[in-house]
Amino acid sequence: MTKGALALLINSNSQNWSPERWKARFDAVCGDRVVMPLPSGLDPASVHYAAVWKPVPGTLAGFPNLRAIFNLGAGVDALMADRTLPDVPLVRVAVPDLTGRMTEYVVLHVLMHHRQELYLRQSQREKIWEPKYQWPASAVTVGIMGLGTLGIDAAGALKRIGFRVVGWSRSARTVEGVACFHGDSGLDAFLRETDILVCLLPLTPETHGILNRDVFAKLHRKGPLGAPVLINAGRGGLQTEADILACLDDGTLGAASLDVFVQEPLPTDSRFWSHPKVVLTPHNAADTDADEISKYVAAQIKRFEAGGALENVVDRARGY
């Protein structure tokens, strides 16, 4: 294969995600390959690869010789919504750094709710010395929605701490030491066992709005936490936000940790900012080392040009 240019299409206001910083990273690992943030004077016909994050719909269709698209984050739903997306391999990021950081987030927030941190921090603010009984991890069942690479890794870490872990996915999966459920027929049984619901699902037409009152009402209600807890570190479109707030208000949910939202950045007038039962983070659960991502993309391109197969290619029919 003839070496082609790598175009960078990055739509982010974050300093660490600026196109200029990505160019410097890719220049360091791509040898003499032309790397150029767009817009630029780059000839569209010279572009063989694109590294992207939420590009403007229609932009990628302007490269007639495109051979592969590399999504710089884990979620590909924004790309899949582009009806003009070229019919070339779409590769998602799957680096150990990303997986490890997501597991850190999940474990942190499961432990936060398990160890009653919301109550303890309120007690500190009010200068109240009144510890409550602390149940063991083995008394709590964590249910993970999404048993891909991220879900399986998080499940293993939670099991090592002592939690009972169950999992649910759209299609059948087998994970050692985890009771696995799948499909519509297995969802209710999964929910009935779950004290802390962790959502790591991809966003697809089938999963859009899946975190809703109907699901919350089916969660286990007799566990030691008093009421079930939601942790969403997947995508904002998975959650029906009015239902989350209403369920927190009426006790259907006891608490929630939310890293993602339908609108990001979260509007300043959102009730999520100040709700006493919400732990809010700014979509940084798996804010991966960008240097590792650039190395991953460069290695994939080098292997592809040598005749090897691309790894972690998205199944467009499934949406992930």
Side-chain angles (χ1 to χ4, degrees):
M1 288 186 178
T2 302
K3 186 176 285 191
L6 172 65
L8 306 180
L9 290 79
I10 302 180
N11 187 10
S12 173
N13 295 322
S14 169
Q15 180 181 3
N16 191 45
W17 276 67
S18 70
E20 294 75 20
R21 294 197 69 173
W22 277 107
K23 174 173 169 51
R25 293 178 177 113
F26 277 112
D27 281 341
V29 296
C30 284
D32 58 354
R33 185 181 308 280
V34 174
V35 178
M36 188 64 66
L38 297 185
S40 72
L42 193 65
D43 177 8
S46 71
V47 174
H48 288 184
Y49 308 99
V52 308
W53 179 244
K54 296 183 178 180
V56 175
T59 308
L60 288 163
F63 303 118
N65 297 317
L66 197 63
R67 293 174 175 165
I69 302 166
F70 297 89
N71 193 56
L72 298 177
V76 297
D77 47 285
L79 274 174
M80 295 294 291
D82 183 356
R83 300 301 182 188
T84 68
L85 195 66
D87 187 18
V88 299
L90 171 57
V91 180
R92 59 181 176 81
V93 169
V95 295
D97 180 74
L98 184 153
T99 302
R101 293 188 189 214
M102 181 61 81
T103 293
E104 288 176 0
Y105 182 93
V106 170
V107 171
L108 169 67
H109 286 263
V110 168
L111 286 174
M112 183 185 306
H113 296 291
H114 163 61
R115 294 303 299 256
Q116 308 175 77
E117 278 297 300
L118 272 68
Y119 166 75
L120 293 173
R121 298 291 69 78
Q122 180 182 353
S123 297
Q124 179 181 352
R125 289 190 296 271
E126 298 177 1
K127 301 179 182 179
I128 297 173
W129 188 281
E130 192 173 336
K132 294 182 178 181
Y133 169 74
Q134 178 60 55
W135 49 85
S138 59
V140 176
T141 298
V142 181
I144 298 180
M145 298 183 85
L147 292 175
T149 301
L150 302 181
I152 290 173
D153 195 74
L158 292 167
K159 278 176 50 58
R160 287 191 292 275
I161 294 172
F163 292 99
R164 180 172 181 265
V165 181
V166 297
W168 180 85
S169 52
R170 297 297 303 177
S171 55
R173 299 297 300 268
T174 300
V175 181
E176 184 178 357
V178 176
C180 295
F181 303 83
H182 72 278
D184 293 339
S185 61
L187 181 57
D188 285 4
F190 161 79
L191 295 171
R192 284 195 298 267
E193 297 193 28
T194 296
D195 297 307
I196 299 177
L197 180 65
V198 176
C199 188
L200 298 175
L201 288 168
L203 180 59
T204 68
E206 291 74 25
T207 62
H208 188 274
I210 194 171
L211 299 176
N212 55 44
R213 176 176 285 278
D214 182 58
V215 161
F216 305 147
K218 294 174 181 176
L219 293 167
H220 187 222
R221 311 209 60 79
K222 296 182 179 179
L225 285 71
V229 170
L230 169 66
I231 299 172
N232 184 17
R235 307 297 289 174
L238 296 167
Q239 60 196 29
T240 302
E241 295 181 346
D243 283 7
I244 293 175
L245 288 166
C247 288
L248 288 168
D249 290 342
D250 68 21
T252 302
L253 287 173
S257 286
L258 304 173
D259 184 57
V260 290
F261 300 89
V262 172
Q263 182 180 343
E264 295 180 359
L266 186 66
T268 56
D269 61 353
S270 170
R271 288 186 61 213
F272 285 121
W273 286 108
S274 57
H275 200 290
K277 295 181 181 179
V278 172
V279 178
L280 183 156
T281 53
H283 202 151
N284 71 335
D287 198 3
T288 308
D289 183 347
D291 293 329
E292 291 300 311
I293 295 177
S294 59
K295 293 175 186 176
Y296 165 84
V297 171
Q300 285 255 42
I301 292 175
K302 181 177 180 180
R303 183 170 56 250
F304 182 60
E305 291 185 333
L310 293 167
E311 298 177 349
N312 302 306
V313 176
V314 172
D315 181 341
R316 296 202 186 194
R318 298 171 69 183
Y320 56 92

